Amino acid sequence: MANRHLSRSVVLQTLFEWDFRGCKKDLAEEALQRNAHEFAPGAGDLPFMEELLDGTIARKSDLDMVIEKAAPEWPLDRIALVDRNVLRLGLYELLFSDREKVPAKVAINEAIELAKNFGGENSGRFVNGVLGAVYKELGEPGKDEVSKKRKDVPYDQLPVQHLGGAIVYAKHAGDVYLALVHDIFGHWTLSKGKIGDKPEFANETIEEGTIREIKEEMGLDIKLIEKVGENEYVASDPKTGKKRKHVVYFLAEAPYGELNLKQTGGLDDARWFRMQDALELNFYEDMLPLVTKALQKLTTS
C-alpha cells in the first residue's frame, strides 16, 4: 500500500514552492515531478499526488476564503508559508475529497501532522484550531451522508444535549471584570461545556457541570450566583445526525487571576475585560442579551 502521508508531504513541499514562486501552475507540475522523484521514489502514488495538488490549486480561491473566515485575525499574508499551505491542503481534503476515501478525521489529523513536521512550534495547534472549527462551523463534512440515511426528525423529537455556561465576573482594583473566551471566527463569547457527557459525570446537575466545565476551560473556580437565561439551537453531528443543544447560563463570581485556556479546536484566547468595556466587543447576537442582562444585575446589586 502506498504511503499516503509521504505523498501528502511531497504535495505540501510542492505547494510551498508553488506559493513561494508566485503561484504559477506550470511550476507546480514540474516541482511535483521533481519532488516525487527525490523524496518518494518508487512510491507508486503519483496519480494521488497529482489529483491532490491539482485540486488544491484549482480551489485556491475558495480555500483562501474559508481560511479568512475561520481566522479573521490572521490575514493570509501573515500566516506562515508552511501553515498557509497545510491549511489549503487540509481544507481541500476536508471539504472536497471523497469522504469514503478520506474521512474527515483523517484529513484533519494528516494536516496536523504535516504542520507539526514542517511548521513552527505552534503550527500544529493553529492548524488544528482552524480545521476543527471549519469542520464544525462551515459545513461539517459527512452530514449529508447522514441525512441520506436518516429521516427528517421533528424538532421536538430531536435528541437534546445539555450544556452549562456562565457570565463570569470578578472584582479587582475597584472595577468589575468579565472573563470571556475568544473563538477563531473573531467573536468574544461565554465559556460553556457539556453536562453529563462522560460516565463519571453522568449524574451531575447542571450547576455541578457548569462549575466543572468553567474550571476545565478557563482554570477558574467559580461560585454560581443565579441563573440568567437559556438558549437552544440545532447542530448537526456527522455521526449521529441533528440534535438540540440546550444551554443554561448562570451569573458566576470568581477570583481575579490568570486565565488558563484549555486548548480546543474552536477557541484561541481568554481574557478579563472591564465591565464598562465588555459591550463594545464583538459578541454573537444570541449572547449579547445574556451579557447585557448580567451587566444590569451587576450594576444594580
Side-chain angles (χ1 to χ4, degrees):
M1 179 181 293
N3 187 334
R4 287 293 167 90
H5 183 73
L6 175 60
S7 298
R8 290 183 175 93
S9 299
V10 171
V11 174
L12 175 61
Q13 291 170 317
T14 303
L15 286 171
F16 181 96
E17 184 174 343
W18 162 78
D19 196 354
F20 182 77
R21 297 172 67 183
C23 300
K24 297 179 180 179
K25 179 75 164 49
D26 56 338
L27 293 178
E29 294 172 350
E30 180 272 328
L32 178 64
Q33 297 294 328
R34 172 169 29 83
N35 290 333
H37 177 74
E38 180 177 354
F39 299 108
D45 214 15
L46 188 59
F48 171 74
M49 298 183 205
E50 291 175 336
E51 178 184 352
L52 195 52
L53 178 68
D54 291 345
T56 303
I57 291 176
R59 294 279 190 172
K60 175 181 177 295
S61 296
D62 296 330
L63 299 173
D64 287 352
M65 181 180 66
V66 173
I67 295 170
E68 289 171 347
K69 289 183 177 179
E73 294 187 348
W74 287 91
L76 280 170
D77 59 1
R78 287 184 56 204
I79 298 176
L81 195 58
V82 169
D83 296 354
R84 183 164 69 223
N85 286 290
V86 169
L87 287 173
R88 286 169 176 159
L89 184 59
L91 281 171
Y92 174 75
E93 290 206 277
L94 179 62
L95 299 177
F96 301 112
S97 288
D98 185 339
R99 292 270 68 79
E100 293 185 0
K101 295 181 179 178
V102 186
K105 288 186 178 180
V106 171
I108 294 173
N109 289 338
E110 284 290 312
I112 292 171
E113 288 304 310
L114 289 174
K116 290 179 178 178
N117 291 337
F118 294 97
E121 180 180 353
N122 296 317
S123 294
R125 184 171 61 183
F126 176 66
V127 168
N128 180 39
V130 176
L131 295 187
V134 168
Y135 173 73
K136 294 176 183 177
E137 305 292 344
L138 297 180
E140 294 181 343
K143 70 178 181 181
D144 291 338
E145 286 82 350
V146 172
S147 65
K148 291 176 183 176
K149 299 176 184 178
R150 302 172 184 270
K151 295 181 179 179
D152 288 336
V153 179
Y155 181 84
D156 60 357
Q157 295 180 25
L158 289 173
V160 179
Q161 181 178 76
H162 295 281
L163 299 94
I167 300 97
V168 181
Y169 75 92
K171 296 179 180 179
H172 175 69
D175 280 317
V176 176
Y177 287 78
L178 298 186
L180 302 171
V181 293
H182 188 268
D183 67 24
I184 67 167
F185 295 99
H187 292 84
W188 288 98
T189 189
L190 304 175
S191 180
K192 67 178 185 294
K194 300 174 184 177
I195 306 300
D197 63 320
K198 296 180 180 179
E200 59 266 37
F201 307 133
N203 298 317
E204 67 183 354
T205 65
I206 189 72
E207 291 81 5
E208 291 170 340
T210 301
I211 292 171
R212 174 183 56 77
E213 284 290 343
I214 301 301
K215 175 68 173 180
E216 290 181 6
E217 187 159 88
M218 293 198 295
L220 289 175
D221 293 304
I222 63 171
K223 175 184 177 183
L224 301 184
I225 305 301
E226 61 180 288
K227 176 181 167 182
V228 294
E230 304 177 41
N231 70 4
E232 187 170 286
Y233 57 96
V234 175
S236 293
D237 186 284
K239 292 183 178 179
T240 60
K242 292 182 178 180
K243 64 180 66 175
R244 291 157 54 190
K245 292 196 173 185
H246 188 89
V247 193
V248 177
Y249 288 98
F250 298 90
L251 181 64
E253 186 174 9
Y256 184 87
E258 182 180 0
L259 300 179
N260 296 303
L261 180 66
K262 179 182 178 181
Q263 297 303 320
T264 61
L267 301 177
D268 59 13
D269 198 3
R271 298 183 195 175
W272 290 103
F273 291 91
R274 291 193 308 167
M275 184 173 66
Q276 57 266 42
D277 299 329
L279 290 179
E280 301 299 322
L281 300 173
N282 184 27
F283 284 102
Y284 288 103
E285 290 185 2
D286 61 339
M287 292 291 98
L288 192 56
L290 292 168
V291 175
T292 301
K293 182 177 180 180
L295 293 181
Q296 290 173 343
K297 289 181 176 294
L298 289 172
T299 55
T300 57
S301 60

